[in-house]
Amino acid sequence: MEKENIQAASNGRRDTIRILGIETSCDETAASIIADGKVVLSSVVASQAKLHEKYGGVVPEIASRAHIEKIYPVISETIEQANLTKDDIDAIAVANQPGLTIALIVGVTAAKTLSFAWNKPLIGINHIHAHMQSAIMDAEDFEAPAAALIVSGGHTSLYNYQSPLKPELLGSTIDDAAGEAFDKVAMILGLPYPGGPSIEKASKDGDPKARNFPRTMLDKDSLDFSFSGIKTAVLYHCQGQNMKGHNKAASMSKQEIADIAASFQKAVVDVLVKKTQRAADRIEAKSVLIGGGVGANTVLRNAMQDMCDASGRKLLIAPKRYCTDNAVMVASLAYHKFKEGLFADLSLESKATG
Ligand code: KG4
Ligand code: ZN
């Protein structure tokens, strides 16, 4: 529950505002301290990738348990890294939606506890909006509106972005997220989790034109996405239509795997670029903003740059290290809520959607 609380904002106000951000929405336990929404004083990310590797995707119960083990060490390390004490912190921010509820709840409980024990204002942050913030926090000359694409393991959505706190949803995936498709295709090809970086690596020696995987555009005006078709196309390609054949990927040459990886990656990138351009044209965007784990993909980054150059738009894209989940983006966005006095109380809930 969010409410105006100017009182809390002005308590102990000082020139520099330092916010502790906490992120546990999926499989990274992260904490960071940011000054004035921009200056990164510390950032700690404990990745659980190794724990989920053998399952080829995030297992919510394992994620939650790992967050419980890591949350306090990660927060303590962040405060230590910033060379601060609790008295230097002005507010506690936490991603409370969307994500895996039993993962989010760990960060939310920690944030509420610190807020209560240290008597600091609490700020609830939307994880997707925070991904947008990671693309814009260093921008000097942002021109609104922007077509914002958030493309990750849990989400693939387009927004009309005018300002940090109120992005307007234009479209999103009707089935799998793009990152989820990367993870599943990597599993089919026998490549390690997380699939995005593995596919990108394998594709370096591959021919993106070797296979013609489907580029699902849906209705001609649609700004929604669908990636389940391409995932199934790769599956059929490797196991046969009736799925009775053994997985051929196990006996494929390195070159065949590289060709499939490159062709799959190109098909996904083509769709992401075309839909982002469609959204940008629709809202007459001056800029394009990209965030989320798949945004770390070099082929996507280059294709988005080419698209923006051709249409005279400025590309704002998160640095690779802040594309995947982190708490820098949480603390940075929280600064804007802090300035507006948008604080939560201890009834703040974790929500799967949002
Ligand atoms: O943003 P993120 O860390 O978590 C969510 O909010 O979902 O995104 C993780 C997703 C995973 O699916 C991962 O495979 C994908 O981002 N990813 C990539 C790359 N790096 C991470 N996908 C394509 N290319 C990459 N280089
Ligand atoms: Zn994310």
Side-chain angles (χ1 to χ4, degrees):
M1 219 233 281
E2 208 161 68
K3 60 172 191 186
E4 289 275 323
N5 190 344
I6 307 298
Q7 183 63 41
S10 56
N11 274 347
R13 174 161 280 178
R14 49 188 144 226
D15 291 345
T16 302
I17 301 300
R18 298 184 196 90
I19 298 182
L20 167 66
I22 298 173
E23 157 63 46
T24 63
S25 68
C26 191
D27 63 342
E28 330 277 355
T29 316
S32 165
I33 300 175
I34 305 291
D36 292 339
K38 271 180 187 285
V39 184
V40 181
L41 301 180
S42 62
S43 171
V44 178
V45 180
S47 170
Q48 303 173 3
K50 282 264 160 291
L51 297 176
H52 301 287
E53 191 169 12
K54 69 176 167 189
Y55 305 101
V58 178
V59 182
E61 288 75 12
I62 293 177
S64 181
R65 203 176 315 142
H67 285 311
I68 291 167
E69 280 169 19
K70 291 282 181 204
I71 189 75
Y72 284 105
V74 164
I75 293 172
S76 306
E77 197 182 326
T78 294
I79 297 172
E80 211 171 292
Q81 223 181 59
N83 207 10
L84 298 173
T85 71
K86 67 177 175 51
D87 298 335
D88 303 311
I89 294 168
D90 296 281
I92 316 289
V94 63
N96 72 307
Q97 66 182 110
L100 304 169
T101 332
I102 63 169
L104 285 163
I105 204 167
V106 179
V108 169
T109 306
K112 284 186 196 174
T113 307
L114 294 179
S115 160
F116 181 70
W118 294 351
N119 194 24
K120 312 271 178 195
L122 177 67
I123 301 173
I125 291 292
N126 180 299
H127 176 84
I128 306 290
H129 299 179
H131 270 304
M132 292 177 214
Q133 182 65 16
S134 62
I136 201 137
M137 63 179 272
D138 288 329
E140 303 272 300
D141 52 349
F142 167 64
E143 270 194 276
L149 172 73
I150 297 307
V151 59
S152 70
H155 309 275
T156 303
S157 307
L158 279 163
Y159 293 80
N160 179 346
Y161 180 98
Q162 310 262 356
S163 63
L165 299 181
K166 287 204 177 80
E168 180 199 325
L169 184 67
L170 299 171
S172 57
T173 183
I174 57 169
D175 41 54
D176 292 351
E180 200 179 342
F182 269 94
D183 294 335
K184 287 178 179 165
V185 164
M187 192 153 75
I188 296 166
L189 296 177
L191 298 171
Y193 176 84
S198 309
I199 293 211
E200 178 167 3
K201 194 166 163 221
S203 71
K204 292 221 163 83
D205 304 316
D207 174 6
K209 295 201 183 96
R211 307 276 179 275
N212 190 16
F213 291 124
R215 284 142 172 85
T216 308
M217 293 300 286
L218 303 171
D219 186 79
K220 78 173 176 28
D221 296 323
S222 172
L223 293 177
D224 289 331
F225 297 90
S226 167
F227 293 104
S228 66
I230 188 167
K231 175 194 67 186
T232 310
V234 176
L235 188 67
Y236 284 172
H237 184 79
C238 295
Q239 299 196 358
Q241 287 267 0
N242 58 13
M243 300 281 294
K244 283 195 179 137
H246 65 293
N247 188 352
K248 280 194 291 174
S251 53
M252 276 178 188
S253 68
K254 223 175 151 201
Q255 188 58 50
E256 278 177 288
I257 302 261
D259 285 346
I260 295 171
S263 304
F264 161 79
Q265 178 174 260
K266 179 73 170 68
V268 173
V269 166
D270 281 354
V271 172
L272 293 172
V273 171
K274 277 207 181 107
K275 292 258 176 176
T276 305
Q277 172 143 38
R278 189 180 279 178
D281 291 346
R282 175 107 30 105
I283 64 166
E284 297 181 9
K286 299 230 169 39
S287 324
V288 167
L289 203 148
I290 315 281
V294 183
N297 186 282
T298 305
V299 174
L300 177 70
R301 295 172 84 89
N302 292 341
M304 287 289 184
Q305 188 64 63
D306 291 346
M307 183 268 279
C308 285
D309 290 347
S311 56
R313 294 186 171 108
K314 189 171 162 86
L315 178 66
L316 299 162
I317 189 159
K320 285 189 182 187
R321 67 184 182 289
Y322 296 146
C323 280
T324 45
D325 288 347
N326 63 86
V328 168
M329 62 188 195
V330 172
S332 175
L333 182 57
Y335 175 67
H336 295 273
K337 286 195 139 184
F338 187 96
K339 282 194 304 184
E340 300 285 321
L342 292 171
F343 298 109
D345 60 29
L346 294 179
S347 67
L348 183 74
E349 287 177 352
S350 324
K351 288 195 218 141
T353 56

